[in-house]
DNA sequence: TTATGATTCAAACAACCGTTTGAAACGAGC
DNA sequence: GCTCGTTTCAAACGGTTGTTTGAATCATAA
């Protein structure tokens, strides 16, 4: 067997399984997606998942690794580019947001090669209850999150460190809902939601993220009530 | 049988099932939580779920309805109070945010009666793939979302209507991650995340939401600091 | 006490789950 | 031609799923 032909065979059914699993996971979740559904859509034999990946859990990890590794590299490269451009000076907040979330939205805009599907899946998985999935995500983000946190710390020196991390987390949530949420929004507001255009989404989301990221801290003068009828409820 | 005793029996095991299901759904998701797990934790017979609720799907709906109806009523009441106070004038954005998200965070702060558990579950369910759950959520929100949208429209007359809805959606995502996310954050940043204090969360989240909600629209002059470094934090 | 309707219970139901198996089919090297 | 490692295939594995059943148990009303 030539080496190339060998790999072709491998990757052919492997990719078909990964594609089928990815889209089915988005629509039904991990648990509710059976291996028979996956192999059925992929047009391959039931046993081939265990043959190529070993188990269903290993398949899930491969679904993520296939795209997430590349995505995080792109995020870091974007940050590298801005930092090289800044020549040692702290980046501006909008550059950091652009490096992380802009790249993410760019991937979410790719509807043809499955980037959109994957980003929807990824957004929902941050809050995934399953232990091994969350631990796997933690490993994938172990290097990228501290890099962005440090960049934000330098960019916003007056903001306490843990505040930065929380706001990063808030931004992550807003983005996940924004991507996964064409459905959820259409769901809550039964009328038209015309624009699924990815560039329009970016134009909407980025100002929101920056506005939240740079918002004045609570306890700074505040807004009129603060302790008045703040939580009248 | 007296009417009261009859109902007592009903609600006793009913409530135990609902409590057990709620906490198990948060930890394992709907599909991965079996009826035997639920009845086992509740200390009731396996068949009692089908006896009291009819099916597992109906149980899921009851888990939500038990708290969501009340939550949405509180949200509307808070809005009513602010509007009565304003005597016809448009509300300020922070009041609207307070009415919706402040009430939500207030429920999430209740760790003793399960409010915290439920809000974590609710946050993850907005992006839930299962069709019938999402449709159910849509019905529950059918009245409250338009009310808040209209209040926001009056409060921010310069912002286009669909922009408002998107930003409401972004805020929803940020809050969901904030509540569900003590785990996710601890996951991405392996070091300490000392404050789970609900009031501290409110102090962090609310400025972020308001900053995002009131952020200048894209296409306005651009990012080159808009008003100097007005909100440089 | 007896009769009655509401709950609880142990047991079983068919259907599906993820995984394993051993044989069949395949393609490349001798 | 034949051989050998890789991949595919149909079939079955034990176990779990949500649901149903019919008898046992309970509390009340007569």
């Amino acid at each position: 067997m030539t080496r190339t032909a060998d790999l072709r065979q491998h990757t052919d059914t492997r990719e078909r399984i990964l594609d089928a699993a990815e889209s089915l996971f988005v629509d039904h979740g991990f648990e509710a997606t059976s291996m028979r559904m996956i192999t059925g859509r992929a047009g391959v034999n039931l046993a081939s998942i265990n043959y190529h990946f070993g188990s269903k859990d290993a398949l899930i990890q491969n679904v993520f690794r296939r795209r997430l590794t590349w995505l995080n590299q792109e995020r870091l490269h974007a940050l590298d580019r801005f930092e090289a451009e800044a020549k040692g000076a702290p980046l501006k907040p909008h550059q950091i947001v652009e490096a992380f979330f802009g790249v993410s939205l760019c991937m979410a805009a790719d509807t043809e090669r499955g980037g959109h599907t994957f980003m929807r899946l990824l957004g929902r998985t941050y809050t995934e209850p399953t232990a091994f999935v969350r631990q796997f995500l933690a490993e994938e983000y172990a290097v990228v999150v501290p890099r962005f946190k440090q960049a934000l710390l330098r960019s916003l020196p007056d903001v306490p460190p843990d505040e930065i991390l929380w706001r990063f987390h808030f931004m992550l949530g807003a983005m996940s809902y924004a991507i996964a949420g064409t459905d959820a929004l259409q769901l809550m507001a039964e009328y038209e939601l015309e624009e699924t255009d990815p560039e329009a989404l970016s134009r909407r989301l980025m100002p929101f993220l920056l506005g939240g990221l740079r918002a004045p801290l609570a306890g700074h003068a505040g807004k009129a009530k603060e302790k008045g009828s703040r939580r009248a409820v």
Side-chain angles (χ1 to χ4, degrees), chain A residues 95-111:
Chain A
Q95 293 177 308
I96 304 174
V97 171
E98 176 64 37
F100 191 95
F101 297 96
V103 170
S104 308
L105 289 174
C106 199
M107 185 170 200
D110 166 34
T111 55

Side-chain angles (χ1 to χ4, degrees), chain A residues 80-158:
Chain A
D80 289 340
R81 244 175 281 125
F82 280 122
E83 286 184 340
E85 192 177 300
K87 300 188 202 301
L91 297 186
K92 293 179 178 174
H94 82 88
Q95 293 177 308
I96 304 174
V97 171
E98 176 64 37
F100 191 95
F101 297 96
V103 170
S104 308
L105 289 174
C106 199
M107 185 170 200
D110 166 34
T111 55
E112 295 182 0
R113 281 166 305 175
H116 179 72
T117 304
F118 175 74
M119 285 304 297
R120 285 179 61 199
L121 178 63
L122 182 61
R124 187 154 43 76
T125 310
Y126 287 117
T127 53
E128 171 75 20
T130 313
F132 89 94
V133 177
R134 290 188 17 223
Q135 185 182 348
F136 168 74
L137 272 192
E139 295 168 9
E140 286 283 331
Y141 276 97
V143 50
V144 71
V145 166
R147 272 289 310 271
F148 276 87
K149 185 196 175 187
Q150 197 188 355
L152 285 169
L153 283 177
R154 290 192 63 207
S155 183
L156 302 164
D158 296 336

Side-chain angles (χ1 to χ4, degrees), chain A residues 178-217:
Chain A
I179 293 174
T182 307
D183 318 330
L185 240 189
Q186 233 160 4
L187 210 123
M188 302 198 314
E190 63 271 17
Y191 36 90
E192 83 286 355
L193 228 298
E194 77 294 357
E195 301 233 50
T196 317
D197 175 19
E199 188 171 346
L201 173 60
S202 183
R203 220 179 311 119
R204 292 183 210 277
L205 179 61
M206 297 300 250
F208 179 91
L209 295 182
L210 273 172
L213 177 61
R214 298 184 302 198
L217 292 175

